[in-house]
Amino acid sequence: MHFLVQTKPYPDEALESYLLRLARDNSYNGYSELADILWQWLAEQDNELEGALPLALSKVDVYHARQASSFRIRALKLVAQLADVNAGDILALAWRRSNFKFGNLAAVSRNELAIPLELLRTDNIPVCIECLTESSYIPFYWHLKPYKACHKHKTQLTIQCMECHKLVDYRDSEACLECGCGCKLTNSEQLNDADFKIASALASNNSPKIMGLLSWFAKVKQLDVSDADFNRTFVDYFSTWPESLTVELNLLTNNARLKQLNPFNKTKFNSVYGDLIRDGQIAATSNRKNKVLDEIINYFVELVDSNPKAKHPNIADLLLCTFDTAVLLNTTTEQVYRLHQEGFLNCAYPQKKHEQLRADSHVFYLRQVIELQQAFAAEKPQTKKQFIAPW
């Protein structure tokens, strides 16, 4: 078996788009017909590959495969042979699971671009009609939830059919310029400036810098990235960065002073600032830079400096948990335990013999952690710090 037409992938093309074009170029009615034939052929070539390529185009990307992802990769390599295309060029189109984490959010990676999995669209893929008129393929960034306007033509993406009002998804209809109901897609929405700014960033070399920020902002503001006003709210917030964050933290600090019930050296950090530090990890980039955590640290450095150690505890004496301590020090919880054992960090409460500190134990003073953080120089490239050598 060999494809008569050897369809070449575009570097910025989505994997689903390429397989759909491959099917159409070789006179199949769509991917579903091609997938049915490939299902049988793959099983004949390798009995482990039966079902390695799903019949549904929306499930064909590698990250959907879970435990069978290695078989999905093997199947795509065989498809590349049939199309006489370099296997690496096809695999470069796929989103694959990544070991990198945006805080507690799972990540997927395409080439060198890592993004939170939650930023990938699942139920619809809007399109730019002008782009498809010029070249009938789907770029991967149309699959990203924050990408809502075309950065090339300065128009909003078409989200739904004007006739049946169904959300546009070429993976279901297996047609790029038509809805599943058979009607041609049209667009009459006015350009949203914020959507255009975000789209331009996502389609540029700066995209890794804002992927984590988008998920972080959605998490802390309890917003849905798919909401129509999300991009505008995001752009407005970061147009005054870092003052926007400083104002919010100042409000929390002042409220803590006004509503203080216990001495600050017996008050948990999270009771004042919530999950500020834990959530801040979401804003990381794949090279471990994190502008949110950097500003959080800067804020608490100034807070400690402006609230020196005194006879009576103040706001800088709040108690951090082990996990947040590790985040601020850019290290592991194991290193935090060692820092405590070696006397670099004092516990707020006496520890029982052989007692193991839990990650959620609020026992370390904010002041000491910030001072220790300042005592060690930042490293480039950013890596996890090891303050004390392993046993």
Side-chain angles (χ1 to χ4, degrees):
M1 182 177 175
H2 201 79
F3 292 126
L4 295 178
V5 179
Q6 298 161 359
T7 304
K8 304 298 181 184
Y10 294 95
D12 63 343
E13 186 171 13
L15 177 63
E16 298 92 331
S17 170
Y18 172 74
L19 292 175
L20 182 59
R21 286 198 305 115
L22 181 65
R24 289 289 171 82
D25 289 350
N26 285 278
S27 301
Y28 294 101
N29 289 329
Y31 169 78
S32 54
E33 183 179 349
L34 172 63
D36 189 45
I37 295 173
L38 285 175
W39 184 298
Q40 301 174 32
W41 182 82
L42 288 172
E44 292 172 1
Q45 301 301 309
D46 187 336
N47 61 354
E48 292 183 327
L49 295 184
E50 185 174 3
L53 278 182
L55 299 178
L57 185 58
S58 60
K59 298 297 182 182
V60 77
D61 214 332
V62 174
Y63 77 92
H64 289 296
R66 299 184 183 276
Q67 293 90 346
S69 57
S70 59
F71 294 148
R72 183 71 53 88
I73 292 291
R74 196 190 307 174
L76 288 173
K77 287 182 178 179
L78 288 175
V79 172
Q81 290 180 18
L82 298 180
D84 195 25
V85 174
N86 187 295
D89 292 340
I90 291 185
L91 296 181
L93 308 182
W95 289 105
R96 289 174 272 184
R97 294 186 177 274
S98 172
N99 288 329
F100 182 76
K101 293 282 187 180
F102 291 87
N104 61 346
L105 301 181
V108 289
S109 179
R110 185 186 192 274
N111 289 335
E112 296 181 357
L113 175 62
I115 70 167
L117 177 58
E118 64 175 20
L119 290 187
L120 279 182
R121 289 187 166 107
T122 56
D123 56 353
N124 73 300
I125 307 293
V127 299
C128 172
I129 296 173
E130 292 188 47
C131 282
L132 291 174
T133 303
E134 295 173 359
S135 185
S136 57
Y137 79 95
I138 306 293
F140 75 91
Y141 37 78
W142 291 2
H143 284 245
L144 303 176
K145 289 180 181 179
Y147 192 95
K148 301 173 184 178
C150 177
H151 70 285
K152 295 180 180 178
H153 298 102
K154 297 185 178 180
T155 58
Q156 292 295 118
L157 297 186
T158 299
I159 298 176
Q160 63 181 20
C161 173
M162 300 298 290
E163 295 294 328
C164 68
H165 303 292
K166 184 180 179 181
L167 293 176
V168 173
D169 193 339
Y170 74 96
R171 301 169 303 177
D172 288 339
S173 64
E174 296 198 359
C176 295
L177 286 170
E178 292 182 358
C179 174
C181 69
C183 295
K184 287 190 176 182
L185 298 176
T186 58
N187 187 13
S188 58
E189 286 191 61
Q190 289 187 339
L191 177 66
N192 180 312
D193 290 338
D195 287 346
F196 175 69
K197 289 180 180 179
I198 296 297
S200 299
L202 291 174
S204 71
N205 294 331
N206 291 325
S207 56
K209 296 180 180 180
I210 68 167
M211 289 299 184
L213 289 177
L214 290 163
S215 287
W216 170 79
F217 187 73
K219 172 68 168 58
V220 298
K221 299 298 181 182
Q222 298 183 337
L223 299 173
D224 187 339
V225 181
S226 300
D227 288 346
D229 292 332
F230 176 83
N231 285 349
R232 189 185 303 278
T233 307
F234 178 88
V235 170
D236 289 345
Y237 183 84
F238 279 95
S239 65
T240 58
W241 182 266
E243 288 77 13
S244 51
L245 177 65
T246 302
V247 168
E248 294 174 348
L249 295 182
N250 281 338
L251 181 61
L252 294 175
T253 300
N254 293 333
N255 284 342
R257 289 180 171 131
L258 290 173
K259 300 176 181 179
Q260 180 186 0
L261 296 177
N262 299 316
F264 280 122
N265 65 344
K266 298 184 184 300
T267 302
K268 294 180 179 180
F269 177 91
N270 288 4
S271 68
V272 176
Y273 297 101
D275 293 329
L276 173 71
I277 297 173
R278 186 180 297 263
D279 290 342
Q281 288 188 297
I282 298 174
T285 61
S286 54
N287 62 357
R288 297 192 181 277
K289 291 184 178 180
N290 190 319
K291 65 187 296 182
V292 171
L293 276 181
D294 286 347
E295 290 303 330
I296 289 173
I297 291 174
N298 289 340
Y299 179 85
F300 287 113
V301 166
E302 185 174 340
L303 184 74
V304 169
D305 289 345
S306 59
N307 292 272
K309 184 74 173 176
K311 182 177 180 180
H312 297 288
N314 57 50
I315 190 74
D317 296 308
L318 291 170
L319 296 179
L320 283 168
C321 69
T322 306
F323 180 85
D324 285 350
T325 299
V327 173
L328 289 181
L329 294 177
N330 189 27
T331 190
T332 62
T333 52
E334 287 78 10
Q335 277 285 299
V336 173
Y337 300 148
R338 291 293 311 280
L339 288 167
H340 166 55
Q341 291 169 344
E342 298 293 335
F344 288 90
L345 289 174
N346 296 329
C347 263
Y349 307 105
Q351 301 299 300
K352 297 179 181 178
K353 189 175 183 180
H354 304 305
E355 180 183 357
Q356 181 71 35
L357 293 176
R358 301 195 315 272
D360 60 349
S361 300
H362 287 75
V363 294
F364 297 115
Y365 296 107
L366 173 64
R367 182 187 310 281
Q368 279 195 348
V369 173
I370 290 298
E371 290 172 345
L372 184 60
Q373 191 275 338
Q374 290 182 280
F376 286 81
E379 297 179 9
K380 295 182 180 180
Q382 295 278 345
T383 56
K384 288 286 186 184
K385 290 181 180 178
Q386 182 168 294
F387 294 89
I388 299 176
W391 293 107

